[in-house]
Amino acid sequence: MNPTSGPAQALGDALAAEYAAIWAYGVIGVHLTEAARSAARAAEAAHRSRRDALVLQLSSGGGPVPADRAGYALPYPVTDRASALKLAVEIEERTAGHWRAALPHTTGADRNRALAALTDCALRATRWRRTAGVTPVTVPFPGRQA
Amino acid sequence: MVLTCPVATGRRTSDQGTPGHSRRALLRAGALVALGGAAVPLTGCDLFDRDDESKPPDPLEPLAAEATALEARYRAAATAVPALAERFTPIADAHRAHAEELRKVIGRPAPSGSPAAGPSEAAVDPDTVRTELRQAEQEGRDNAAKACAAAPAERAALLGSIAAARATHVEALK
């Protein structure tokens, strides 16, 4: 994340984060059951629609549209419910960070969209913390690196 | 022009013991003149005594005051409903952190006379307390989102985080 980069770069970074989130939820979902699994599916769908909107936005702007990768390295083995929930929280925080970084580079409707995306990521992180039994369920500055 | 006016000595007694010609006051006055003095009533010596009040208020003042008021409400709620203190206290801390960051960005301390405490929680029924706080957070979230939309680039990220945090507070109160 380079805070001095331009809008296309900032949105491209957000797109890369969305790709990674979609991929991660594939791994996360299989270790969850019932309500948590449904929540993971809903989260994945939300990230897909952000991805689609970004691809449209970036391609209509005529700039480069970063491509998805075939796979990603997990920061740690995800083998059970606990590690899956931990990854879900981290993925949402990370994606929130990229959307937050897009805010200074956008104005008007684009900024509102970035804020909506940041807020959605922060809300999902809060819900995952609650599911995981992590307290507090909130952080003071969603998307800001600690 | 302002600087040529004799400074009312003895009126500033608290500022490092140098009445009148304190370096800070001169620098401040210089900054005001450099800004063109627009909207500043140039009434000579008085300028030194009320420089902060004569600058137009920062558009983020209401948001900073709201953060301080929300913090006070959560502290009061934590006292009124000890069973929920564990939930309320981190949120109160977050509002305090928001107020501090907003103050840094504004670059001025809270105006004197701004309320240190918000309305006290009359209701002690835990559900009512939570409902009222949720409403206040929802309003606060909308205010922060509007401020974020209107803000210059350098303020957008902070305001975005504050709006998102307030949204998560609504969620945490469910």
Side-chain angles (χ1 to χ4, degrees), chain B residues 24-44:
Chain B
R24 237 166 63 200
L26 286 170
L27 286 171
R28 267 189 233 142
L32 286 172
V33 171
L35 285 170
V40 180
L42 290 177
T43 49

Side-chain angles (χ1 to χ4, degrees), chain A residues 4 12 19 22 25 44 50 75-76 80 92 114 123 131 139:
Chain A
T4 59
Y19 287 142
I22 293 161
Y25 271 108
E44 185 180 338
R50 294 282 177 209
Y76 37 80
D80 54 10
E92 295 297 350
L123 284 169
T131 304
V139 295

Side-chain angles (χ1 to χ4, degrees), chain A residues 100 104 111 126-127 130 140-142, chain B residues 98 148 151 153 161 165 168 171:
Chain A
R100 182 188 198 263
R111 185 182 286 175
T126 288
R127 292 190 201 113
R130 184 161 53 208
F141 296 96
Chain B
H98 294 170
C148 177
S161 275
T168 64
E171 180 71 23

